[in-house]
Amino acid sequence: MQQTRPDGPASAAVPVPDPLGAGDTGDGGYGRGAYGAVAEAACGYWGRRGLPTEPGQVVSAPTAPLLLLALLAAAEPGHGGGEGDTDGGGVVLPRPGPAWHAGQARLLGRPLHTVPVPAECGGVPDPFALLETVGRARAAGGDPRVLLLSVADGLTGTAAPPELLHEVCEAAVQADLLIISDESWRDTSHDPHDTMIVSPAEILHRSARHTGAGTHALHAHARADTDAARGSHGRVPEGAGEGGDHDCVVVLVDLGADPEHTFGPGTAMGAARLPATVRGRETGERVRAVLAALHARPRGRDATAAAEALGEAEPLREHRAAGNRAHAARAAALHRILTGAGAVCRPPHAGRHIYPDFEALRPALAARGIEDAPRLEAELVRRLGPYALGGHRFGDDPRALRVRLSTDVPSTDVPSTGATADGSAGARASLESVLRELTAAGPPARRPVKIPDADGSPA
């Protein structure tokens, strides 16, 4: 597929698909039979999560990375959306973070501003470090405008506590950042009675509506939405101006994030919920224009499968719950093994991975030539199989001894799910024995050298 790089908001010449699919011809494009079905199903999906949604607020694309690319390309070019400012601003990312988040920003040439995650969890930046990073970037002439975060972090297997997420949202609004909230792993909570996973859209909506809290930037956007909605008649249409309390949040879902929940080809699609405001509608038009320019039209069968996934029928919910329970048990066992060996690791709450830090074991690992993330990854992959990825792949410091481990990593203390894919001895190795060997005191044992006799035969 030939693609055209979006260098800014698309011109009026680019056709904008009808979000409701009024012109559907049954060809699997953006019509009621395809795109419209996804939009309707997405409304129910977000409605069940406390976010009332109308079809016009929904945009989708064949994949989540492609949709994120369009969202970043179409992000409001300036505080007021001026015509002369079309090159886009910087993107703020938690460190570490999903590689595909940074990849889309790089494709657009957007500056990246990474912020370390707090001690409690991954997926979101430390709120104080966020303000410091944005302030420092703007003082140096930069212009960060978008914060990309994950309320449930598939990298570290953690979920942001609501009180911490509230602080992050307040900091983002204070810095006048558009929040793109990746909520692809929100439904993988290991314990339904554990930390409640909420959306920034819920937090900002409730905070402003019920307490009157908010910042100058947020209220300025709300006033702008109300003024624009009045038009020349001086009337405010129903709902206009009410969405300013969560005007700065776009919710993104990757339906293919968890391979275990991929029941059809369409479940790799990405869907996004835009604010129900003038600003949100304008952003949606730009996103659809970018997707149209890229010919990123969901095929009929893919859209049908995506609509079924978003509909969350009872068999899907039961399958998801069973998978969450299984991964919860395995993640808890891995956490016990790793911390027992001396690694530092956040307790897992969601997702299919954990993110241990082996810094405390550096002397023992250094004795085996393992002094950074790439070498640690290589050694674990050699011994265990393809279950480890170094932190350097996620924007982390390459010198740090941090890796992402899959909950599928074989171990005698982890409930088994059957034979490994390749059946190799390395993939069948026990994590406990590997860690014991890697962290044992002293250099690795050498094999005895056989000295041949005078006649050349081994001694």
Side-chain angles (χ1 to χ4, degrees), residues 256-435:
D258 187 356
E260 292 190 6
H261 298 156
T262 303
F263 293 101
T267 49
M269 287 180 60
R273 177 190 184 276
L274 301 166
T277 62
V278 171
R279 185 187 185 195
R281 287 191 291 274
E282 291 174 350
T283 301
E285 290 173 359
R286 291 194 294 268
V287 171
R288 295 183 184 99
V290 171
L291 292 173
L294 295 173
H295 301 284
R297 298 166 64 89
R299 293 177 297 178
R301 65 174 183 271
D302 292 350
T304 300
E308 292 176 355
L310 289 167
E312 300 179 301
E314 185 61 28
L316 187 151
R317 294 198 298 271
E318 292 177 354
H319 179 81
R320 176 187 295 156
N324 290 343
R325 289 192 297 269
H327 283 281
R330 291 151 68 183
L334 285 179
H335 185 261
R336 288 193 299 269
I337 294 168
L338 291 161
T339 54
V344 176
C345 185
R346 296 177 179 89
H349 293 281
R352 308 297 183 243
H353 302 94
I354 57 177
Y355 197 70
D357 185 339
F358 291 86
E359 183 61 35
L361 304 171
R362 180 176 289 275
L365 294 173
R368 288 159 174 77
I370 303 172
E371 299 181 334
D372 54 24
R375 289 184 177 88
L376 180 58
E377 173 196 295
E379 187 64 21
L380 290 176
V381 168
R382 183 179 74 82
R383 292 170 177 264
L384 295 170
Y387 303 101
L389 285 176
H392 62 291
R393 299 182 182 274
F394 309 104
D396 212 341
D397 184 351
R399 297 166 296 180
L401 293 171
R402 291 188 281 268
V403 295
R404 188 194 74 175
L405 282 177
S406 167
T407 52
D408 290 325
V409 62
S411 173
T412 56
D413 194 29
V414 177
S416 174
T417 56
T420 57
D422 60 2
S424 68
R428 292 195 301 270
S430 166
L431 177 61
E432 300 97 314
S433 62
V434 168
L435 292 177

Side-chain angles (χ1 to χ4, degrees), residues 34 50 54 82 92 100 126-127 337 351 436 459:
E54 295 296 327
V92 182
W100 68 278
D126 178 272
I337 294 168
R436 281 196 300 268

Side-chain angles (χ1 to χ4, degrees), residues 34 44-45 86 166 169 250:
Y45 174 88
T86 59
H166 193 284
C169 290
V250 174

